[in-house]
Amino acid sequence: MIFKAIADGRPYPDHGYATAKQWSRIPPRQIRLSDLVTTKRTLDLGSLLSEDSTFYGDLFAHVVFWQGTFYLEDGLHRAVRAALQQRQMLHVRVLNLHDLDPPAPTESGALIPTSEMPQVKEP
């Protein structure tokens, strides 16, 4: 299995990150392909086989972390290409939606800290 799951669409709320400049503020990190859930079911073979498919875009795939799951929002072609090259890791920018939402107050009024993303162990 290459990915954790294959979804059709984004199950998480809109995060407002639409430009490469916004995503570039997030430092890249490595993540296992088997930890990713895709948000697209189809793949364009021309884009997959193109050597310069990232020429006009971000070099790193975009991943959204929400409710304990890493969703591959942009970079499916790069991820499949990595799998075809028998690589298990992918360099990505991870947007943690829990960091964007303010903490929820408890009944006593104390704030509950947001959960942190799990750290990926290197192979």
Side-chain angles (χ1 to χ4, degrees):
M1 177 190 304
I2 297 172
F3 300 110
K4 182 177 181 180
I6 297 173
D8 191 15
R10 302 172 183 171
Y12 47 86
D14 183 37
H15 47 69
Y17 277 59
T19 67
K21 185 176 181 179
Q22 290 171 312
W23 281 97
S24 69
R25 295 184 191 125
I26 302 171
R29 60 180 271 199
Q30 288 188 6
I31 191 166
R32 292 183 177 281
L33 293 173
S34 60
D35 289 338
L36 296 172
V37 174
T38 69
T39 59
K40 298 176 186 171
R41 298 185 67 83
T42 59
L43 188 65
D44 176 34
L45 191 56
S47 295
L48 177 66
L49 300 176
S50 174
E51 291 183 19
D52 64 348
S53 63
T54 60
F55 184 75
Y56 294 105
D58 195 344
L59 292 175
F60 304 103
H62 298 168
V63 171
V64 174
F65 181 74
W66 186 63
Q67 294 185 341
T69 303
F70 293 98
Y71 292 96
L72 180 62
E73 181 173 289
D74 180 47
L76 179 59
H77 295 89
R78 280 169 264 177
V80 171
R81 208 175 302 121
L84 290 172
Q85 295 170 351
Q86 298 182 354
R87 290 186 284 141
Q88 297 177 3
M89 304 292 280
L90 184 66
H91 286 87
V92 302
R93 298 183 191 276
V94 179
L95 175 64
N96 185 346
L97 288 189
H98 303 288
D99 289 343
L100 297 179
D101 296 334
T106 62
E107 291 178 13
S108 66
L111 295 178
I112 301 171
T114 57
S115 61
E116 294 185 17
M117 288 187 292
Q119 296 298 314
V120 177
K121 294 180 183 176
E122 298 294 328

